[in-house]
Amino acid sequence: MTPQIVPSVLSADFANLARDVQAIQKAGAQSVQIDVMDGHFVPNITVGPVVVEGLRKATGIYLDVHLMIENPDHYLEAFAIAGANLLTVHYEACKDPGETLRHIKKLGADAGMAIRPKTAASVLFPYLKDLNLALVMTVEPGFGGQAFMPDMLKKVASLRAEITQQHLSCKLQVDGGINANTAPLAVKAGADSLVAGSAVFGQKDPTFAFQSLQKLVANS
């Protein structure tokens, strides 16, 4: 499977969000990530279901919704109804991770689970069979444009080994500080999905930036 770059709209032009997402889809992106932050789980506030709904009406691209919020179970239905294809919750924010994943699947969405830098990769092992995607944060969640934490690559490799050992189809995503220098490292460690915000939408020509980064990881 060719590793995929998933552009994060956190770095896009919110005054022209639909335009930017449509352009990146036309450039070849298979999905985009929408970072949802509540000002509690992380020290930043971004968007809610209404933005997901707006993008769903404007494009058919796969919407990867990353919920960096407390009490995610309270909001899963709203995001699913809005049109999210994938709902990724944080292990650290779930009172009962297994029940949260079942809730997501019942809503008809793909289920993802993320871990922060200080959380061990092994906490996800029992849930991999129920996950469509496991996400390793390679920065502290909350803000775009942060520096990649190379120590997190060990966690990526550990999860890749466990996914392989269990013969699972769960995708392994890396998010944070992805650029032309760090993307090949993440792919080598076992990631097959890489979220890139400022390295795509933060550039003067997002389409060219995306295609260049996608070509780079495809050949890594």
Side-chain angles (χ1 to χ4, degrees):
M1 183 183 295
T2 302
Q4 294 296 313
I5 294 296
V6 181
S8 167
V9 303
L10 186 62
S11 297
D13 178 1
F14 271 73
N16 297 283
L17 196 53
R19 179 205 65 188
D20 282 5
V21 172
Q22 289 167 348
I24 213 70
Q25 181 180 20
K26 189 175 181 180
Q30 296 183 11
S31 63
V32 293
Q33 186 174 91
I34 302 170
D35 294 302
V36 178
M37 307 180 194
D38 63 358
H40 296 283
F41 184 73
V42 293
N44 194 10
I45 298 174
T46 55
V47 302
V50 66
V51 172
V52 176
E53 183 180 12
L55 284 177
R56 179 78 297 151
K57 290 176 180 177
T59 176
I61 198 169
Y62 186 90
L63 297 179
D64 171 340
V65 178
H66 181 186
L67 300 175
M68 290 173 265
I69 61 176
E70 292 181 353
N71 302 311
D73 294 84
H74 296 173
Y75 306 96
L76 295 176
E77 185 173 6
F79 281 102
I81 291 173
N85 296 106
L86 168 71
L87 290 170
T88 296
V89 296
H90 268 264
Y91 170 83
E92 303 89 353
C94 296
K95 294 178 181 178
D96 184 339
E99 181 57 36
T100 298
L101 296 179
R102 285 188 287 274
H103 188 183
I104 293 172
K105 293 289 185 70
K106 195 175 294 184
L107 291 168
D110 290 338
M113 187 164 282
I115 50 174
R116 303 177 83 147
K118 293 181 181 179
T119 303
S122 58
V123 303
L124 292 184
F125 290 0
Y127 306 103
L128 290 174
K129 65 184 184 300
D130 301 313
L131 288 172
N132 297 100
L133 180 139
L135 168 57
V136 175
M137 293 298 300
T138 43
V139 298
E140 276 295 340
F143 294 92
Q146 296 186 66
F148 183 86
M149 296 179 175
D151 286 352
M152 297 300 105
L153 292 173
K154 297 175 184 176
K155 291 162 66 171
V156 177
S158 176
L159 278 162
R160 172 51 62 200
E162 186 66 21
I163 290 169
T164 300
Q165 184 177 327
Q166 292 190 38
H167 304 287
L168 302 173
S169 59
C170 175
K171 291 183 179 179
L172 182 53
Q173 187 175 79
V174 166
D175 183 1
I178 293 297
N179 55 39
N181 295 320
T182 59
L185 300 177
V187 171
K188 185 177 180 180
D192 47 30
S193 177
L194 299 91
V195 179
S198 57
V200 175
F201 286 122
Q203 303 303 304
K204 288 184 178 180
D205 187 342
T207 294
F208 176 77
F210 164 76
Q211 291 177 330
S212 298
L213 200 53
Q214 181 59 64
K215 184 177 180 179
L216 176 66
V217 299
N219 294 325
S220 295

